[in-house]
Amino acid sequence: MTTAPELRTPAAVTGSDLLAAYRSGPDRAFLTTPTRTLLAEGVHRAVEDPAEAARLLAAARPDGGRRLLVGAIPFAPGAPARLFVPERVRQAGPVPPPAGAPLPTGPTADGRWQRRPVPGPDGYRTAVAEAVRRLAGSGPLEKVVLARTLELTAPGGADLAAMAARLVHRDPHGYTFAVPAGGGATLIGASPELLVSRRGGRVVSNPLAGSAARSADPVEDRRRAEALLESAKDLGEHAFVVDAVRSALAPHCTDLAVPVRPTLLRTAAMWHLSSTVTGVLRDPATSALDLALALHPTPAVCGTPTALARDAIGELEPFDRGLYTGVVGWGDEHGDGEWVVTLRCAEADGDRLRLFAGAGIVAASDPELELAETAAKFGTFLQAVGMAGDR
């Protein structure tokens, strides 16, 4: 059996160099995180089953060569993953924040794109109201995450390399990705949420749940942040997610440390309630990918209980999520890796760019406020393609 080539990157190559070298394609992937940047090219082996991917990496460890896996895992169980072992991988440190003014919007004009929300605002409000009705009943359903899409079309589609650069520089401390999504499509996005990382025996997960749109007015921005920290609805939503992460990691970790209260995480568009959960791996054979599969999906992207929330999503969302709210990242033959929740993303395919955004619905949710939250989350991508906000 052949093995994938070793990772070879000249010492002088930087994360910025790899970002500049990225071009979209079915055999190319770009990932940048707070710790590293990866540019993968060529498909040594494609993998559609995440469990097979975990076995493939484990089998590679004794052979002395470097092996890396990159790509994305879908939201729905049993749907094909888009994972591959690349022929060539270059890696460097993280992309530094821009030194000067923000990157220009570029040639994309607002009027160039046609847009269609699925569902529209009224349809989304109706779905949220129905979810609230079910949550207020006597059944066990406690939370359900409802998403919507915004389909953009324009001749020639989007310049994905330029979009990736804008997303990286907009949130340089986040997790930006551009990976094959099947056929000629590309999944591109900038997620704020680390599902799990493993480095040696150290495990870290950073669940986010509970959000508020940011404001250009510093006083109002601070008021929104402080209100989020005191919101009973958002604190309750956050607690669902943290409890699920604790339960999923407990069998795999010792010295599991879980914060008593969340803190605030800031992105360019949103405030999020954030908790950093850490632990020490019990079994060194457990990989970052194994942990990601144990955690996925969290209540932050599905709801709780998981099975009932999935059923509600299937009934109330009029589209297939695909890779959205799945997992995207990398893992190596040592078991190390970083896997993030696939949020703030779009699927680009030819002339079409399909954006996704969702909100966590609990019994106290207000349909109008949840609609506003999804509109704010669309903002990251709408700015990346030079468009104004959308309802």
Side-chain angles (χ1 to χ4, degrees), residues 17 32 50 52 70 98 104 111 123 148 153 191 272 284 287 323 328-329 332:
D17 294 330
T32 187
E52 179 188 350
V70 298
R148 64 189 185 111
T153 55
S191 175
H272 298 282
S287 70
L323 297 173
V328 62
D332 69 14

Side-chain angles (χ1 to χ4, degrees), residues 102-126:
L103 291 178
T105 296
T108 305
D110 192 41
R112 176 174 176 258
W113 293 90
Q114 299 296 315
R115 41 184 155 181
R116 182 174 74 96
V118 179
D122 288 343
Y124 188 73
R125 292 188 194 95
T126 298

Side-chain angles (χ1 to χ4, degrees), residues 24-159:
S24 62
D27 61 347
R28 299 176 184 176
F30 173 82
L31 299 164
T32 187
T33 78
T35 65
R36 71 191 63 219
T37 303
L38 299 173
L39 181 61
E41 300 173 303
V43 177
H44 173 73
R45 182 170 175 180
V47 186
E48 291 190 349
D49 180 355
E52 179 188 350
R55 291 192 295 270
L56 177 65
L57 286 177
R61 293 173 198 163
D63 70 11
R66 290 300 310 276
R67 176 166 284 180
L68 196 82
L69 182 82
V70 298
I73 296 167
F75 171 72
R82 304 298 178 184
L83 299 166
F84 70 101
V85 177
E87 290 284 359
R88 298 170 301 281
V89 178
R90 288 181 284 170
Q91 61 178 337
V95 179
L103 291 178
T105 296
T108 305
D110 192 41
R112 176 174 176 258
W113 293 90
Q114 299 296 315
R115 41 184 155 181
R116 182 174 74 96
V118 179
D122 288 343
Y124 188 73
R125 292 188 194 95
T126 298
V128 172
E130 172 58 20
V132 169
R133 186 190 68 78
R134 299 184 189 189
L135 290 158
S138 58
L141 187 64
E142 297 180 90
K143 174 184 174 181
V144 61
V145 178
L146 291 183
R148 64 189 185 111
T149 70
L150 184 63
E151 295 183 357
L152 311 179
T153 55
D159 181 340

Side-chain angles (χ1 to χ4, degrees), residues 368-388:
E368 190 64 34
L369 294 179
E370 305 301 346
L371 177 68
E373 180 176 330
T374 60
K377 290 174 178 176
F378 281 142
T380 297
F381 248 90
L382 290 169
Q383 290 199 21
V385 297
M387 296 181 68

Side-chain angles (χ1 to χ4, degrees), residues 22 25-26 28-31 70-72 82 84 176-182 185-189 323 327-329 342 346:
Y22 169 69
R28 299 176 184 176
F30 173 82
L31 299 164
V70 298
R82 304 298 178 184
F84 70 101
T176 299
F177 51 88
V179 300
T186 297
L187 177 74
I188 183 168
L323 297 173
V327 182
V328 62
T342 313

